[in-house]
């Protein structure tokens, strides 16, 4: 944010602290609000805008020099300084501004005694542009000093540095299937500093997650860039993810498929679960255990067993005879299947 926009922003109010707040109090307030409004934890549009505001406020108030500039500019905006017309050029009453310039430039050097005036001259005459005054906080103060040490009537100003946002970073993280469906805390590093972040449950292979403010630092008051994490989840031999449901194969016998059965299996956590397979189930039939899938802010999924009817690789004579008798007992079922083929 440019310094000439600071007049309209009350950063202390944004963070909910007093103007006399210590650095520790400012940091504590920022962290509390960041946890509440971080885009990865709060998906609303209002939260995203709120997070930007508190990040801007913290960027200024956590930097000693920027905070000093901000306080001075806010004091100017609330009154105490005024412009006055003069012969041939505009006049500026410095009496109400002396405390600000005194703190910024060392005791009000060059301001003169009580009632003294600094005169500004713009390209077209008239009152100076407020941006010219702001530029003095950026290092142009005193640019009009004459060789003899006195302040003349004409000033040159350098334009204040424009805020530049930091560049985004891109990184990759590899998760197991269980971590992808349960969520995980991973360690990352940037600029030699390590930090941890939480990956929410239910992420998929190839998905990108944005970590706001974890990119390269901004310059001249610009916001930090973001860090984009690309998720890689290798294919699991047993489990798969479908929306919030975890899908797994459920092999059963012909008898269990025909008569129905309670079938035990092992879930993604290694715990034993029991599926209730209804009588007359065919391969591809799905049976569910509610609430054992992914759980996140979007809802709660199920653990889904997909029925696979299996027979022995080398059935004996008795089994083959029984199978033929089973087909006979099914009546025209074999003929109906033949028509479908």
């Amino acid at each position: 944010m440019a310094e000439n926009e600071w007049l309209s922003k009350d950063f202390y109010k944004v963070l909910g602290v007093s103007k006399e707040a210590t650095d520790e109090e400012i940091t504590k307030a920022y962290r509390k609000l960041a946890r509440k409004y971080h885009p990865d934890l709060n998906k609303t549009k209002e939260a995203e805008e709120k997070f930007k505001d508190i990040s801007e406020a913290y960027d200024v108030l956590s930097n000693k020099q920027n905070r000093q500039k901000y306080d001075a500019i806010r004091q100017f905006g609330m009154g105490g300084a005024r412009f006055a017309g003069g012969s041939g050029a505009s006049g500026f009453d410095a009496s109400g501004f002396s405390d600000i310039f005194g703190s910024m430039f060392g005791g009000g050097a060059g301001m003169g005694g009580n009632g003294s005036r600094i005169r500004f001259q713009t390209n077209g005459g008239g009152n100076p542009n407020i941006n010219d005054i702001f530029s003095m906080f950026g290092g142009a103060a005193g640019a009009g000093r004459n060789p003899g040490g006195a302040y003349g009537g004409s000033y040159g100003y350098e334009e204040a540095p424009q805020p530049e946002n930091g560049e985004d970073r891109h990184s990759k993280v590899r998760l197991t299937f269980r971590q992808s469906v349960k969520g995980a805390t991973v360690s990352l590093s940037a600029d030699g500093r390590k930090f941890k972040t939480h990956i929410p449950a239910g992420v998929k292979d190839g998905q990108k997650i944005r970590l706001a403010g974890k990119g390269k630092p901004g310059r001249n008051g610009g916001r930090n860039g973001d860090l984009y994490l690309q998720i890689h989840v290798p294919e699991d031999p047993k489990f798969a993810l479908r929306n919030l449901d975890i899908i797994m194969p459920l092999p059963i016998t012909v008898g269990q498929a025909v008569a129905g059965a309670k079938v035990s299996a092992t879930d993604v956590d290694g715990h034993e679960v029991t599926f209730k397979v209804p009588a007359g189930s065919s391969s591809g039939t799905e049976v569910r255990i509610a609430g054992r899938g992914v759980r996140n802010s979007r809802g709660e999924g199920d653990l889904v067993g997909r029925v696979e009817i299996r027979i022995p690789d080398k059935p004996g004579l008795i089994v083959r005879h029984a199978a033929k008798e089973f087909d006979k007992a099914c009546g025209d079922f074999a003929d109906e299947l033949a028509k479908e083929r």
Side-chain angles (χ1 to χ4, degrees):
M1 176 185 295
E3 293 172 6
N4 59 4
E5 296 179 46
W6 286 358
L7 279 173
S8 62
K9 292 283 187 176
D10 189 342
F11 292 148
Y12 294 101
K13 184 176 180 180
V14 170
L15 294 181
V17 298
S18 70
K19 294 180 181 179
E20 293 74 33
T22 63
D23 293 344
E24 291 77 12
E25 290 172 336
I26 289 172
T27 299
K28 183 177 179 181
Y30 167 74
R31 289 177 177 172
K32 180 178 179 181
L33 292 171
R35 285 193 296 269
K36 182 177 180 181
Y37 295 106
H38 195 286
D40 289 340
L41 303 177
N42 192 328
K43 304 295 184 180
T44 64
K45 182 65 176 178
E46 292 77 10
E48 181 178 353
E49 294 300 322
K50 183 71 173 177
F51 186 78
K52 290 180 181 178
D53 289 341
I54 64 177
S55 296
E56 290 174 349
Y58 181 72
D59 285 344
V60 173
L61 298 185
S62 63
N63 182 290
K64 184 176 181 180
Q65 184 178 4
N66 285 344
R67 184 178 180 182
Q68 187 179 21
K69 289 182 181 180
Y70 173 75
D71 288 342
I73 289 173
R74 290 283 293 178
Q75 185 176 347
F76 165 77
M78 290 185 290
R82 66 180 183 272
F83 298 105
S87 176
S90 301
F92 177 66
D93 189 345
S95 61
F97 221 23
S98 60
D99 56 339
I100 301 175
F101 281 98
S103 63
M104 296 298 293
F105 305 118
M111 296 294 289
N114 292 336
S116 62
R117 292 171 179 258
I118 296 177
R119 294 190 175 274
F120 297 87
Q121 181 174 325
T122 60
N123 292 336
N127 286 337
N129 188 288
I130 193 169
N131 290 324
D132 295 334
I133 298 174
F134 284 136
S135 70
M136 295 179 68
F137 292 93
R145 182 186 293 272
N146 290 332
Y151 284 85
S154 179
Y155 267 74
Y157 295 104
E158 296 178 5
E159 187 174 344
Q162 294 299 309
E164 297 180 34
N165 294 336
E167 297 178 4
D168 294 333
R169 299 181 192 269
H170 297 270
S171 187
K172 297 180 180 180
V173 62
R174 181 185 178 95
L175 304 177
T176 64
F177 180 82
R178 184 181 181 280
Q179 288 175 321
S180 72
V181 298
K182 294 291 183 178
T185 299
V186 297
S187 296
L188 304 169
S189 62
D191 295 328
R193 293 182 297 176
K194 294 185 177 180
F195 63 95
K196 293 183 178 181
T197 191
H198 181 71
I199 306 297
V203 295
K204 298 180 176 64
D205 182 56
Q207 183 175 340
K208 286 186 177 182
I209 295 177
R210 182 175 69 93
L211 303 180
K214 294 298 184 181
K216 295 184 179 181
R219 294 172 292 279
N220 304 324
R223 70 172 184 83
N224 292 347
D226 300 329
L227 172 61
Y228 288 88
L229 277 182
Q230 184 166 3
I231 305 299
H232 177 53
V233 184
E235 186 175 343
D236 190 271
K238 181 177 180 180
F239 298 98
L241 186 62
R242 185 181 66 195
N243 296 325
L244 297 180
D245 294 334
I246 300 174
I247 314 298
M248 63 175 291
L250 189 64
I252 62 175
T253 67
V254 174
Q256 289 171 325
V258 173
K262 292 183 178 180
V263 180
S264 296
T266 303
D267 68 8
V268 71
D269 292 316
H271 299 152
E272 185 175 291
V273 294
T274 300
F275 288 95
K276 294 181 180 180
V277 179
S281 295
S282 299
S283 289
T285 298
E286 293 185 350
V287 290
R288 296 173 175 267
I289 300 178
R292 298 300 288 267
V294 174
R295 295 180 182 179
N296 60 24
S297 59
R298 295 187 291 125
E300 184 177 86
D302 301 333
L303 178 62
V304 178
R306 185 177 288 131
V307 170
E308 296 180 357
I309 299 175
R310 304 280 185 85
I311 60 173
D313 291 337
K314 297 180 179 180
L317 289 174
I318 296 176
V319 173
R320 283 185 281 177
H321 176 73
K324 291 180 179 179
E325 293 299 316
F326 173 76
D327 284 348
K328 289 180 182 179
C330 289
D332 296 332
F333 183 66
D335 294 334
E336 292 173 2
L337 291 181
K339 292 178 181 179
E340 290 185 17
R341 296 194 293 270

